[in-house]
């Protein structure tokens, strides 16, 4: 097939240095170079083929995921890749598998909760993949409510062992990735019982399968929970079910960094502060926010490129039809998502810094910022994953009928991504946790306690409650300090209104429950403010490269003003702005779309995704969509035969009978 760049004319209109923007997107030149090398390594290796994934049955799909994971491990060792390079290679393999939970949950859990001796023993095995681990917390009956878990770990002082047991059906471990078929070990969360007393949920390392023949060990019932949403997608992952029937493990397989049980059965809290466990949580949630930017940017890349290729209506005197991307209705749905992808990328990079910062503080015994960090990471996990899941689906709609084809890459991307709205904390539950933090922060304003970090703006509550927006013309909305103060005022006012209404209730818990929907809106306002403030910080950095600062400014303003438009009711009902100022914001937003338009394709090129990673005929770099879409259709095994199976049994008799009847 002739190789022609059908998007060359789009790339020629770019008003910025695309290569420099690639480095801004990556976070550093070093990270860009690693990502570029790993993505091309994967794309050039036929072992990592994935274009036929949505046509495969579950058993073949899973076998392929095992093969790819093994091949990836082989290449990692052959090339002597660093931990960072290996993690990046697994990202570009782009297939959910047991290794995700092994490296992403099992290893961090042992690092965070294991003693030095336990880490030395278990991590040396895990790092070499001599054992494969998963994270067995969620149960059939309990997910978000971890304290309600029912699996028990009862200490037997006579044998110096814990007895792990599933007392009823709802205590079955349910959902852990890698558990169904692959894992040999698990960090199992169970209620620690010793000397007749329940000490709550703790972690235990439990071997599940034989290291010789992989069969389940005595007392263990384990398997896969079945097919999940979508073709291909997350069905490469063996999410499992696990039940224990009085399974005994040595006492030293309880993770004992934070607490331990002595040989005599006495429960002892260690000198290590329990708050250190928060470090692992921050690490996992910052990774989820970074994943959100990857997933949303992939969908946006596909939708932007296809919108530039697709032409519909508007032909004048037999000339070409109008590019779909030139319609304002398309821009108003697509460009805010493009801006969101950049916004999530930058706040994700900031969270990496926050993880390093909070880890250092925890190790120094400084726990003052923990509540704010917990609220921040919980809220950003919730907001970014919800927006990304909705955004991928919106991109599918933006691609019209062709977006519904599996070959567009969007249905599988959505199906593979959407579980992130539930795992590591249900998004609604997380926002309510943020709301609790906000209510506590507001209640302490008169006590002299100053809010810190991303919540520091609440300390200006007195000023923000009196704040009057001074926007008089549309261009005033381009001032970052104006945007910041308006969003601060909205966040403070929504939080204060909720706090005032809760105070009127007969008791605080009843008031919190009654106002939970309003509290979620306040939490969202807080999280959106954080993202905007970090985006503004990024714009104000010394970003090298022609036109980089200008494009980031446009994206930042689109992100902020599109949110203002979306939540206009919040801003008006809290008197943060007037209806006239809201109209001016919309006027400026339309002008920003026009400014972004010549750069749209180049801004998604800056993501530096290979066609292999995108996995989309519609999002091809060369824009040569239609011939490849046509060719892709004929690759489907359904087209292997001209006459379909079942024709002679079911269709031909009908046709023949109808023909006879027509002669009567």
């Amino acid at each position: 097939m002739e190789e022609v760049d059908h998007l060359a004319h789009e790339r020629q209109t770019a008003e910025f240095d695309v290569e420099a923007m690639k480095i801004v997107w990556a976070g550093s030149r070093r990270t860009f170079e690693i990502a570029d090398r790993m993505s091309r390594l994967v794309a050039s290796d036929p072992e990592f083929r994935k274009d036929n994934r949505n046509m495969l049955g579950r058993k073949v799909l899973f076998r392929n995921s095992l093969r790819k994971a093994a091949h990836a491990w082989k290449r990692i060792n052959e090339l002597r890749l660093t931990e960072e390079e290996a993690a990046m290679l697994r990202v570009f393999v782009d297939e959910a598998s047991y290794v995700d939970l092994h490296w992403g949950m099992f290893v961090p859990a042992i690092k965070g909760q294991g003693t030095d001796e336990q880490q030395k023993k278990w991590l040396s095995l895990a790092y070499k993949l001599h054992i494969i681990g998963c994270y067995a917390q969620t149960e059939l009956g309990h997910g978000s409510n971890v304290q309600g878990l029912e699996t028990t770990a009862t200490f037997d002082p006579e044998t110096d062992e814990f007895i792990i047991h599933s007392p009823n059906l709802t205590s079955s471990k349910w959902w852990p990735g890698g558990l169904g078929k692959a894992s040999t070990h698990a960090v199992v969360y169970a209620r620690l019982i010793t000397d007749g007393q329940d000490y709550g949920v703790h972690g235990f390392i439990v071997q599940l399968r034989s290291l010789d023949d992989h069969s389940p060990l005595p007392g263990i019932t384990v398997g896969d929970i079945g097919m999940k949403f979508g073709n291909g997608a997350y069905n490469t992952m063996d999410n499992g079910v696990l039940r224990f029937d009085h399974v005994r493990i040595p006492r030293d397989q309880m993770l004992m960094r934070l607490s331990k049980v002595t040989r005599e059965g006495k429960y002892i809290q260690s000198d290590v502060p329990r708050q250190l466990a928060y470090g692992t949580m921050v690490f996992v949630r910052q990774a989820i926010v970074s994943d959100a930017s990857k997933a949303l940017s992939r969908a946006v890349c596909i939708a932007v490129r296809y919108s530039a290729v697709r032409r519909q209506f508007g032909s004048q005197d037999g000339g070409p039809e109008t590019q779909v991307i030139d319609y304002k209705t398309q821009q108003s749905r697509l460009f805010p998502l493009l801006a969101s992808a950049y916004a999530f990328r930058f706040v994700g990079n900031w969270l990496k810094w926050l993880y390093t910062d909070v880890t250092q503080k925890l190790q120094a015994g400084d726990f003052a910022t923990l509540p704010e960090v917990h609220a921040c990471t919980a809220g950003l996990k919730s907001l970014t994953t919800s927006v990304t899941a909705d955004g991928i689906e919106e991109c599918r709609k933006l691609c019209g009928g062709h977006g519904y084809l599996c070959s567009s890459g969007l249905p599988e991307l959505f199906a593979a991504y959407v579980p992130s709205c539930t795992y590591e904390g249900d998004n609604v539950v997380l926002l309510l946790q943020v709301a609790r933090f906000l209510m506590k922060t507001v209640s302490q304003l008169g006590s002299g306690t100053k809010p810190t970090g991303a919540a520091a703006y609440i300390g200006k509550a007195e000023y923000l409650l009196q704040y009057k927006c001074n926007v008089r013309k549309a261009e005033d909305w381009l001032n970052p300090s104006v945007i910041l103060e308006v969003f601060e005022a909205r966040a403070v006012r929504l939080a204060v209104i909720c706090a005032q209404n809760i105070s009127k209730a007969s008791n605080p818990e009843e008031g919190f429950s009654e106002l939970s929907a309003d509290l979620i809106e306040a939490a969202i306002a807080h999280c959106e403010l954080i993202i905007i403030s970090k985006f503004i910080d990024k714009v104000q950095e010394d970003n090298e490269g022609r036109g980089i600062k200008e494009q980031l400014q446009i994206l930042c303003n689109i992100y902020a003003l599109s949110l203002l438009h979306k939540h206009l009711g919040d801003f008006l009902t809290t008197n943060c702005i007037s209806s006239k100022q809201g109209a001016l914001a919309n006027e400026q937003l339309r002008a920003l779309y026009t400014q972004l338009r010549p750069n749209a394709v180049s801004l998604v090129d800056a993501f530096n995704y290979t066609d292999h990673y995108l996995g989309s005929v519609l999002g091809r770099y060369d824009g040569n969509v239609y011939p490849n879409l046509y060719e892709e259709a004929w690759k489907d095994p359904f087209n292997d035969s001209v006459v379909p199976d079942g024709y002679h049994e079911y269709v031909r008799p009908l046709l023949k009978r109808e023909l006879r009847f027509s002669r009567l």
Side-chain angles (χ1 to χ4, degrees), residues 634 636-648 651:
W634 293 106
D636 194 311
F638 196 46
N639 281 323
D640 286 350
S641 60
V642 177
V643 177
D645 290 345
Y647 167 78
H648 291 287
V651 178

Side-chain angles (χ1 to χ4, degrees), residues 524-536:
I524 289 171
H526 173 70
C527 297
E528 288 175 345
L529 171 60
I530 294 172
I531 297 172
I532 289 169
S533 68
K534 300 309 165 191
F535 207 153
I536 289 172

Side-chain angles (χ1 to χ4, degrees), residues 475-493:
E475 294 77 18
D476 292 343
W477 280 113
L478 300 178
N479 185 335
S481 62
V482 169
I483 288 174
L484 205 54
E485 285 200 323
V486 165
F487 275 83
E488 285 177 345
R490 169 210 178 200
V492 161
R493 292 179 192 190

Side-chain angles (χ1 to χ4, degrees), residues 49 104 261 311 329 422 617 626 634:
R49 178 189 174 190
V261 171
R311 292 177 179 271
T329 48
T422 306
V617 173
Y626 297 127
W634 293 106

